[in-house]
C-alpha cells in the first residue's frame, strides 16, 4: 500500500516533470530552481527555523543566484558555492551582533543550501549534457524504482532489519532485491541513449541506487531527531516535496 501511494504521487507529478524538462532552455532550470526553493522552505519549516528570516532569505538568495552564475558568468564557480554560502551564513551572527542559538542554526542553513539547493540544482546541470533531458528522466525512473521496489519487497519478504532507529521499513532483503531490479531496469532502458558507452547503464544504476539511498537516509536521520514523521503535505499519497525528492539531493553529473 505504501509503494502504491508512492506510485500514485508520481501519476500526479510525472506529467508536470515531463512538461518541465521538455520546455526550451533555460525554463527547465527555472522550474528546478523553484522546486529547490520549495524544498528549502519545507526544510526550514520542519526544523523550526522559518522565523530566522535572515538565514532563510540568504539561503533563498544562494539558490536563485547559483543557476544565473552557472549559465551566464562562470560555470566552475558553482562548485565553490557551498563554501561561499558557508562564509556568508557565518557572517550573519556578526552582522546581528548576537551569538545566542547561532551554532546549530548556521549549520542547518548550510546543510539546507548544500542538499536542497546546490544538490537539487545539479538536475539542471544534467540537462546541459548531450541528451540531458533523457539522462534526467532515466535517473528519476531508476531512483523511484529503487525506492518503491525496496519498500514493496521489504514488506513482503524482508526479515532482517537494519538502521531501525532511522528507518521503519529498511530490510537487508529489500535492499538486495531493490539493487538487483534497479540494475536490471537500467539495462532494459539503456537504449534511450545513442552515444553512451555500454557501461553507462551499470554506472547510472549504481549511482541512482546508492546516492538515492544515502539521500533518503540523511533526511530520515533529521526527521527522527526532530520527531517529524513526514515532511509535509505536497502530493497526494506521498507527503511533502522532500519525501518525493530526497533520493535526488546527492546527484552530481
Amino acid at each position: 500500500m505504501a509503494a502504491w501511494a508512492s506510485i500514485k504521487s508520481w501519476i500526479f507529478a510525472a506529467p508536470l516533470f515531463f512538461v518541465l524538462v521538455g520546455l526550451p532552455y533555460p525554463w527547465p532550470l527555472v522550474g528546478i530552481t523553484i522546486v529547490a526553493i520549495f524544498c528549502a522552505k519545507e526544510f526550514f519549516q520542519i526544523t523550526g527555523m522559518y522565523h530566522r528570516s535572515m538565514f532563510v532569505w540568504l539561503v533563498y538568495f544562494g539558490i536563485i543566484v547559483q543557476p544565473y552564475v552557472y549559465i551566464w558568468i562562470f560555470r566552475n564557480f558553482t562548485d565553490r558555492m557551498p563554501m561561499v554560502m558557508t562564509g556568508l551564513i557565518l557572517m550573519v551572527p556578526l552582522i546581528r551582533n548576537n551569538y545566542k542559538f547561532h551554532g546549530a542554526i548556521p549549520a542547518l542553513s548550510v546543510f539546507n543550501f548544500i542538499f536542497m539547493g546546490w544538490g537539487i540544482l545539479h538536475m539542471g546541470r544534467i540537462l546541459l549534457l548531450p541528451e540531458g533531458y533523457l539522462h534526467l528522466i532515466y535517473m528519476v525512473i531508476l531512483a523511484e524504482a529503487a525506492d518503491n521496489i525496496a519498500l514493496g519487497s521489504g514488506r513482503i519478504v524482508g526479515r532482517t532489519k537494519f538502521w531501525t532507529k532511522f528507518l521503519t521499513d529498511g530490510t537487508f532483503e529489500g535492499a538486495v532485491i531493490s539493487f538487483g531490479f534497479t540494475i536490471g531496469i537500467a539495462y532494459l532502458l539503456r537504449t534511450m541513449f545513442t552515444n553512451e558507452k555500454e557501461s553507462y547503464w551499470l554506472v547510472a544504476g549504481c549511482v541512482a541506487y546508492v546516492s538515492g539511498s544515502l539521500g533518503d537516509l540523511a533526511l530520515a536521520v533529521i526527521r527522527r531527531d526532530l520527531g517529524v514523521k513526514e515532511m509535509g503535505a505536497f502530493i497526494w499519497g506521498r507527503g511533502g516535496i522532500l519525501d518525493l525528492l530526497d533520493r535526488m539531493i546527492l546527484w552530481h553529473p
Side-chain angles (χ1 to χ4, degrees):
M1 292 177 62
W4 173 235
S6 176
I7 293 171
K8 286 189 294 185
S9 71
W10 270 105
I11 292 175
F12 172 82
L16 300 178
F17 173 73
F18 281 112
V19 169
L20 175 63
V21 299
L23 292 174
Y25 206 81
W27 291 110
L29 185 58
V30 173
I32 293 173
T33 302
I34 295 173
V35 169
I37 291 174
F38 273 104
C39 289
K41 177 177 180 290
E42 194 169 274
F43 184 85
F44 277 130
Q45 288 176 327
I46 67 170
T47 54
M49 294 174 53
Y50 203 57
H51 62 288
R52 305 284 181 174
S53 59
M54 190 171 292
F55 291 99
V56 171
W57 287 110
L58 187 56
V59 171
Y60 290 167
F61 171 78
I63 293 174
I64 293 171
V65 165
Q66 180 173 309
Y68 174 81
V69 171
Y70 182 74
I71 296 175
W72 287 288
I73 300 179
F74 183 41
R75 290 188 175 184
N76 292 333
F77 184 77
T78 56
D79 293 329
R80 300 181 177 92
M81 280 295 290
M83 292 307 301
V84 172
M85 288 299 300
T86 299
L88 293 175
I89 289 170
L90 292 177
M91 292 297 294
V92 172
L94 301 178
I95 295 173
R96 299 183 64 178
N97 194 27
N98 182 12
Y99 64 88
K100 193 174 183 180
F101 304 117
H102 279 59
I105 293 174
L108 286 172
S109 298
V110 172
F111 182 95
N112 193 354
F113 172 78
I114 291 176
F115 289 101
M116 314 313 157
W118 189 74
I120 289 177
L121 283 169
H122 274 98
M123 288 192 288
R125 298 180 68 173
I126 293 175
L127 287 172
L128 293 178
L129 298 173
E131 298 182 324
Y133 69 99
L134 291 177
H135 287 274
L136 186 56
I137 293 171
Y138 188 64
M139 292 296 291
V140 169
I141 291 174
L142 295 180
E144 280 301 302
D147 187 20
N148 287 289
I149 292 171
L151 184 61
S153 60
R155 292 285 181 89
I156 297 172
V157 301
R159 298 292 182 271
T160 309
K161 292 185 176 292
F162 59 91
W163 288 325
T164 54
K165 291 186 177 180
F166 309 131
L167 303 174
T168 57
D169 302 307
T171 65
F172 177 77
E173 295 83 357
V176 172
I177 293 172
S178 174
F179 179 75
F181 268 91
T182 302
I183 298 300
I185 293 171
Y187 175 78
L188 293 175
L189 297 179
R190 71 192 189 285
T191 54
M192 290 174 62
F193 310 102
T194 57
N195 298 319
E196 291 296 344
K197 296 181 179 179
E198 186 66 19
S199 60
Y200 176 78
W201 63 269
L202 179 60
V203 175
C206 292
V207 169
Y209 179 82
V210 175
S211 65
S213 299
L214 291 176
D216 187 20
L217 181 62
L219 292 185
V221 171
I222 294 175
R223 284 200 302 266
R224 289 291 184 179
D225 184 45
L226 297 174
V228 178
K229 185 176 181 181
E230 290 185 343
M231 293 295 187
F234 177 72
I235 295 178
W236 169 45
R238 186 60 180 244
I241 189 171
L242 285 181
D243 290 304
L244 189 68
L245 297 176
D246 56 2
R247 302 186 70 86
M248 305 168 196
I249 62 176
L250 297 179
W251 284 0
H252 194 293

